[in-house]
Amino acid sequence: MVYSEIYKNALFNDIIPFWEKHSLDNNNGGYFTCLDRNGDVYDTDKFVWLQGRQAWTFSMLYNNVDRKDNWLKTAKLGIDFIRKYGMDKDGNFYFSLTKSGKPLVQPYNIFSDCFAAMAFSQYAKATGDQEIKSLAKQTYFNIINKKENPKGVYEKSTDYRPLKGFALPMILSNLVLELEDVLDSKEVEKTINYSVKEVMEVFYQKDSGIIYEFVTPDGTIEDSFNGRLLNPGHGIEAMWFMIDIGVRSKNEDLIKKATKVILNILEYSWDEQYAGIFYFMDAKGKPMQQLEWDQKLWWVHLETLVALLKAYEHTQNEEVWKWFLKVHRYSWSHFPDPENGEWFGYLNRQGKPLNSLKGGKWKGCFHVPRAMYQCWKSLEQIECIQSSKKVK
Amino acid sequence: MVYSEIYKNALFNDIIPFWEKHSLDNNNGGYFTCLDRNGDVYDTDKFVWLQGRQAWTFSMLYNNVDRKDNWLKTAKLGIDFIRKYGMDKDGNFYFSLTKSGKPLVQPYNIFSDCFAAMAFSQYAKATGDQEIKSLAKQTYFNIINKKENPKGVYEKSTDYRPLKGFALPMILSNLVLELEDVLDSKEVEKTINYSVKEVMEVFYQKDSGIIYEFVTPDGTIEDSFNGRLLNPGHGIEAMWFMIDIGVRSKNEDLIKKATKVILNILEYSWDEQYAGIFYFMDAKGKPMQQLEWDQKLWWVHLETLVALLKAYEHTQNEEVWKWFLKVHRYSWSHFPDPENGEWFGYLNRQGKPLNSLKGGKWKGCFHVPRAMYQCWKSLEQIECIQSSKKVK
């Protein structure tokens, strides 16, 4: 089987059917994401960012793959739910809700808003619904307004030694492309320029060639717990957002630089003893406070596969292909559940599942299907180039 | 070597010298707690609750063991530091400070206040300092005033499905005995009654015989992530606070009930596969969101040793002694660092250190020395009873 088929098959014959079968809450609307190994619902709380992510996934498949009524219906289940119950009176998105939509945890996490905006935008594209489109726009501008203080009143740090986080500029670099149909082109260019600069000049550190998770407001490194924190999966995921932007603007330098950063981070964060990519690291090798630092997470490996394939598709750098094979082999031999389908989320350092969930508070219907889709599409391009070379 | 000597030797020849040698910040005051395997300082941020805990430890040793000038001087280093820099204008204690005392993280965590109050009280007892004594009292009443909403403005849960936590009533049951010299007897009785009732009637669940970490305000169990959460180490630690209260009030029923709960929790949370006590569990065996759930933590095992020895000292229940031997053997063969002294804090499920720190954000000079002291004293009593039996 050619590589593209592996990803395509998994997407349509394993991943999507798993979520279609187990996650839909046709009584209350929205999705259950707390699914155990068999797919049974073990908790009914609804995490708004995962509601947005699943609605996005089904809208995206409808827009990009096939206009199946069922996919749109599934997307609508989440869109209606977060639209009706997800927001406080100021348009901020709660972190979690009961199954029937009562707010449980306040809007302290701006990523709830980000994935709502992405879901609204894809769904508006699928349906032409203007009201949803303006909701996407409104949510986007609310995010932009909150971006200097994303946690709002729930921020516990004082102003004495402030740090800014990588996650928000990183997500904006993807969000803005997702919202191209919703925003005017000036706003798109502005946010692209902002996020590329933040990611590739501020959080990227020339000396080490890798991405830091927090820097000071003026962009320097701080020797503190958060200042030394590395999140390899975040850094690598951001690089495929950069490659997407590079392709869009035909910026080969950006693509090449992003490719180099992917390789740098992989060299730095690959576990030579047990294989796999570490979850967190300390830039100075100091002891970690994150007790999960050495675990191997599904999304880290999937986003790395996407990043490597996009990099290879656009550079044909053979070192990238070698890394793809290495991460592909590790991922496919450790994460998929051969008995019940879908992927385990959390492996211990040695590569054994440390819990059996298929979804929970942090894992839903998003990284697995998005990566399967992205890898499938990149591999199709790569295989096409390869076979045309052979013909010549 | 008799058991009591093992604990006494470790306390005075390993643990206390380690912290005396490596943690004192004689320039700025206070203590460095971020110490690597060798005892070298790897980060200089100061966590207020760990400052309080270390000042408490040295004051307690001065009061209970030996009036060494050096111990009092070491205690004063922390007392002066948290008194000068630890509080906001309303007397709430920050979570963390820079090495020179500038506030870094706001007072969102009431345990900073709890350990400050305990430190002030022990230090006032050691010195007779009336100002520190009234500071202990003032801090105590501030905790009592905040107890219904300990996180204040940093609370992210809505009021829709409120839960109350076990940690605060648990800590109050110890804090109030620590503050007996500071409070009037009516207040002491009131808080003892409150905390015993909360711990043994509200958070203790008759059906399963164990302690839950969160319950609804009216004391019922909730089937949700937090509602199902078990923290075996917390439950067991609270039981030795109950035994202390039982001894003080000659309440044999309380001592017997606490002993039974210790055994119940141990049966429930002992890892039959790799040995050791799990960090977190789900009461219904559902998948855990806490990625560190299966790790073996130093404080869980030390507090269990204290609880088992206090239970055995006052009940002579042989099942308790068997469990003591089992936990003693596991702990002493896994946690102590034979090369550089002190104990590792965090082991993976298999019992190997998952980082090499001796101290950090959450581990300081507290659980190890307090448990060594408590176990030494209980074992002396137990050995005394045993040898008097032999004589007869």
Side-chain angles (χ1 to χ4, degrees), chain A residues 42-43 45 102-104 106 108 156 158 160-161 228 286 288-289 291 293 295 354-355 361, chain B residues 42-43 45 102-104 106 108 156 158 160-161 228 286 288-289 291 293 295 354-355 361:
Chain A
Y42 65 87
D43 197 277
D45 286 357
K102 299 286 186 296
L104 285 174
Q106 301 285 7
Y108 78 96
K156 291 181 292 196
T158 66
Y160 185 73
R161 213 176 62 192
R228 293 189 301 270
K286 294 183 174 186
M288 301 296 300
Q289 307 305 299
L291 298 183
W293 77 273
Q295 297 174 8
L354 73 91
N355 64 37
K361 232 179 215 176
Chain B
Y42 65 87
D43 197 277
D45 285 357
K102 298 286 187 297
L104 285 174
Q106 302 285 6
Y108 78 95
K156 292 181 293 198
T158 66
Y160 185 72
R161 213 177 62 192
R228 292 188 303 268
K286 294 184 173 185
M288 302 295 301
Q289 308 304 299
L291 298 183
W293 77 273
Q295 297 175 7
L354 72 92
N355 64 36
K361 231 178 215 176

